[in-house]
Structures are given as structure tokens and as C-alpha cells.
Amino acid sequence: MSQNSKDNSQKDFKARRITDDPAYDEACRFIIKLGTAVHGYGPSAARLESFLNRVTDALGYHGVFRSTPSEITFAFWQREELWQRTHITPVPVGGYNMAKLAYVGELVDKVVSGDLSLKQATVRLDEIDQMASPWGVLTYALSFFLVGIGFSGLIQGNLWDIGISGVLSLAVYILVVMADKIGGRFADALPFVSAYFAGFCAAGLKLFLPEINDSVITLSAIVILIPGFAVSAGIIEIVENHVVAGSARLMGGLVYLIKQFTGAWLGMATIALLWTSESNLESTGSSGIETWVFIAFLFLGLCVAYQTLLRDFIWVIISCAFSYGGVIISSTLLSADLGTLFGSMIAGIFANIWVRITGRPTSIVLIPAITVLVSGSIGFRGLIVAASGQTDQGVDQFMQMFIVALAISAGLLISNTILRPKITL
């Protein structure tokens, strides 16, 4: 046998030996299962990839991971080896579940410390995935109501607008539940259907209550579904050099936003065909104690909507208060755009300090705080204004959405420079 043939045979045998390693197989299966499960709980691509790298290194192997909204690519290899095992998993579009994210974070800490075997951890992952949400159906419905009236109160202050926004938010919740049960085309059409329903009802009620603001009511009723965080997160991921994941998230958010705008505009236009009424796009706003009451409603609604555990409630509310307070103070002293930057910077620093103290996933306190700052509602209002004939003003408001998202991204980058974040979900 020639020397080349002998070397090739040795390489083939070595490759087969690596592939047949039971411990290696078990580790790869666990990490694939872990990444697929966590993807549906809401972390960004950068956090998920860094987290999987941390777990893989702790188990004694190497890995490279690429996460997008629709699939995850896993690549594994053993130390001092070039052979790789690659696995690509399609994943459904996930939501946000801070409770399950917290449980997974605790699970992985036990695996890394050696307190839990991979077999036990795999069973526990299945149990977490099957867990019911920490908040029941009625409480989850209440979150829609709280976010609706909280947002409406912040931008309008009219009692009729606030009350109607809360009622229509509950109706939108019913549509969300129906979409989840029925699935298929109805689920795909949810952004259009929910916005059409809200716009149609708001414009219809304006025929009998001329003093209400149908545009604000429509926006407030569907604001919990508006993908402002997706747009901002997409731009943040692009800035962090996760171009594929960021572009997919950004385009998905924009498409969702356009569906909502189309539905809301057609809903109001349907009523306009029967009766002409002037759409009031101005907002009176609230001040003083009233503002903080509506802010509290908004914060509480977001905590429940993101399925936050009760033990994390106070920290999430503090984080949201810090970010929003940073915006208010900085906007007063400097400018609105710099206010958003400082608000996100404060939220990022608080999250990094909180993680260092508790060791829990960063997303628990960071995502709700950034949601308070997000720009989706600005883009939606811009499209509505443009559709009403005020093109220049509408385009300016729509472009402002991207400026706000860039300011949030810059603030988070600065916060991570000031205090290096711990690798968590």
C-alpha cells in the first residue's frame, strides 16, 4: 500500500471515530435542541449565537452558529480537528416569552456547572417548552387593555379615546387568539384584519362621537402588535454586523407594518365612503401625574405581554422607568433624538449591571425597556398622515422611525462599551 493511501485510510478512520463519539453526538443534539427552543422565546441573533458558543465551549467542543428569523445553522467540531458537523434547522417565527427564557438560562447554568447531565437537561428543555404561560388568558387579555389605554393616554389624553382604545384592544386580543387557534391564512392575515377592524370601528364611532380621534384610537388598539421592536432590532443587528439576520428582521417588520397600515387605512376609508368626517391627527398629550399613570399602565401591560415572571416584574418596571426617564430628561435638555440615545444607553447599562448581579438573561429587562423607546408607532402614524394627503409630513414621520432605531442602536453600543455585557440570552 502506498504512503498516500495509508494516510487517506488513517484520515477516514479518524473521521469515522469522531463521528461515532457518543458524547459528541449527545452534545450536538442538545445544543441543536437548545438553540431551536430558545429561538422562539425572543433573544436577538447576536445574543443567541454568543450564548450557543458559550455552551459549546463549556461542553468542550467548538461551534459556529448563524441565526436568522427563519432558520439556524449549527456547525460543530472537536478540539484540534478540522472535520465539522453541520446542521440547518428551519424555525417558525417566534414571539417573546421571558419566563421560558429565564428557565432556560437557569438550566444552562446548571449544565455548565456540572449539576445537570445533558440527558436530564434535554428532558427539562421539553418540560419548559410544554409549560403553560405564567399568566392566564384573562391576565393576558388585560395586558392588551393596559397597553391600549396607556398608549392612548400618553399621546391623546381624551377620555373617550382612552376608553374606546381599551375596548378595541380587547377585540384585537380576541382576533389574536382566533388566529392562534385557526392558523393558516387567517394567521398570516392577522396584521391586516386586526388593523382593518380597529380602523373601521374607530371611524364608525367617529360618526356618532365627532370629538374622538379615530387615527389615535386605531393606533392605540393595535400598538401591541406593531413591529416597532422588530424594526429597531433589525437595524441594531445590522449595525452589529449580523447583516443577514438584521435585514430579514427589518424587512419582516416593515412588511408587517405595511400590512397594518393597509388594513387601518382601508378600514377608515370604508366608513369614509358612507360618510365624510375630518380625521383629527393632532394629539393633545398628557402631563404631570396623568402621564405617569398611563406610563405605569403601559409598563405593566408590557410585562404581562412578554410573559415576565412575577419575581422579575419590579426589575422590568425599573428598567422601563430608567429608559423612559432618560428620554424625557435628555429630550428636555438636549434634543428628542439624543433623548432616545441616552434612554437606550441607560437601559443597556442597567441591564448589564443587573445581569452581573443576578446572572439572569439580559433580554428579561432589556427588551421591554427598548420597546418603550421603539419607533414603529412613529412609522405607522407617518403612513397614515401620508395617506391623508399630507405627504411631506407623513414621509418625515416615517423616516423618523429609522432615525429613532439608529439612536437606540448607538445607545446600546455605547452602553456595552462603558460596561462589557455578560454573555447571556
Side-chain angles (χ1 to χ4, degrees), residues 400-414:
Q400 184 70 17
M401 174 178 67
F402 296 98
I403 296 174
V404 171
L406 287 171
I408 293 173
S409 176
L412 291 178
L413 288 175
I414 293 172

Side-chain angles (χ1 to χ4, degrees), residues 68-401:
T68 71
S70 58
E71 67 180 26
I72 308 176
T73 300
F74 302 83
F76 306 95
W77 69 95
Q78 301 197 54
R79 297 188 185 279
E80 300 179 358
E81 299 292 345
L82 296 178
W83 298 98
Q84 287 187 353
R85 174 180 296 179
T86 303
H87 182 86
I88 301 176
T89 301
V91 289
V93 178
Y96 297 97
N97 194 313
M98 299 299 107
K100 291 184 178 181
L101 207 64
Y103 291 138
V104 170
E106 295 171 355
L107 167 69
V108 169
D109 287 340
K110 292 180 180 178
V111 171
V112 171
S113 64
D115 295 335
L116 208 63
S117 68
L118 290 183
K119 183 176 294 185
Q120 293 172 321
T122 300
V123 174
R124 178 60 178 160
L125 268 180
D126 290 331
E127 292 175 352
I128 293 174
D129 191 54
Q130 297 300 320
M131 279 183 179
S133 298
W135 303 102
V137 174
L138 293 178
T139 309
Y140 190 48
L142 180 62
S143 72
F144 277 68
F145 179 77
L146 291 175
V147 171
I149 64 174
F151 188 83
S152 180
L154 283 176
I155 65 175
Q156 178 64 23
N158 182 299
L159 291 179
W160 278 111
D161 294 331
I162 295 170
I164 295 172
S165 297
V167 173
L168 289 184
S169 295
L170 291 176
V172 169
Y173 167 76
I174 294 174
L175 292 175
V176 171
V177 173
M178 290 174 58
D180 185 56
K181 296 290 185 181
I182 298 173
R185 292 187 178 181
F186 187 76
D188 294 336
L190 177 64
F192 176 86
V193 173
S194 59
Y196 180 90
F197 174 81
F200 181 88
C201 291
L205 289 171
K206 188 173 178 63
L207 299 178
F208 305 96
L209 298 169
E211 65 270 25
I212 68 173
N213 188 320
D214 54 347
S215 296
V216 168
I217 291 173
T218 302
L219 175 59
S220 301
I222 64 172
V223 69
I224 197 169
L225 300 180
I226 288 178
F229 183 79
V231 173
S232 298
I235 293 178
I236 292 170
E237 289 178 344
I238 292 173
V239 172
E240 292 178 343
N241 205 31
H242 289 77
V243 179
V244 175
S247 299
R249 196 183 296 270
L250 174 61
M251 292 306 299
L254 289 176
V255 170
Y256 197 100
L257 187 65
I258 291 172
K259 288 180 181 180
Q260 288 183 307
F261 157 72
T262 305
W265 179 70
L266 286 177
M268 291 187 286
T270 302
I271 295 297
L273 291 175
L274 304 175
W275 190 270
T276 302
S277 63
E278 184 179 352
S279 180
N280 178 17
L281 295 171
E282 297 297 326
S283 58
T284 60
S286 303
S287 59
I289 298 177
E290 290 182 0
T291 299
W292 288 104
V293 171
F294 293 127
I295 290 172
F297 286 156
L298 184 61
F299 290 174
L300 288 173
L302 287 175
C303 285
V304 177
Y306 284 135
Q307 301 298 322
T308 305
L309 292 173
L310 187 59
R311 58 177 168 171
D312 296 324
F313 250 58
I314 183 64
W315 300 114
V316 174
I317 291 175
I318 291 173
S319 180
C320 291
F322 276 155
S323 65
Y324 188 80
V327 171
I328 297 300
I329 296 173
S330 302
S331 297
T332 302
L333 299 177
L334 301 170
S335 69
D337 292 335
L338 288 177
T340 303
L341 185 147
F342 277 100
S344 61
M345 183 178 70
I346 292 171
I349 292 174
F350 175 82
N352 291 340
I353 294 174
W354 183 78
V355 169
R356 287 178 179 270
I357 295 174
T358 64
R360 295 165 64 73
T362 309
S363 299
I364 292 175
V365 295
L366 185 60
I367 288 180
I370 297 302
T371 302
V372 173
L373 310 176
V374 294
S375 48
S377 60
I378 299 174
F380 186 89
R381 285 173 64 84
L383 292 173
I384 291 291
V385 170
S388 69
Q390 305 175 46
T391 307
D392 292 340
Q393 182 182 352
V395 171
D396 288 343
Q397 286 194 20
F398 185 74
M399 294 306 297
Q400 184 70 17
M401 174 178 67

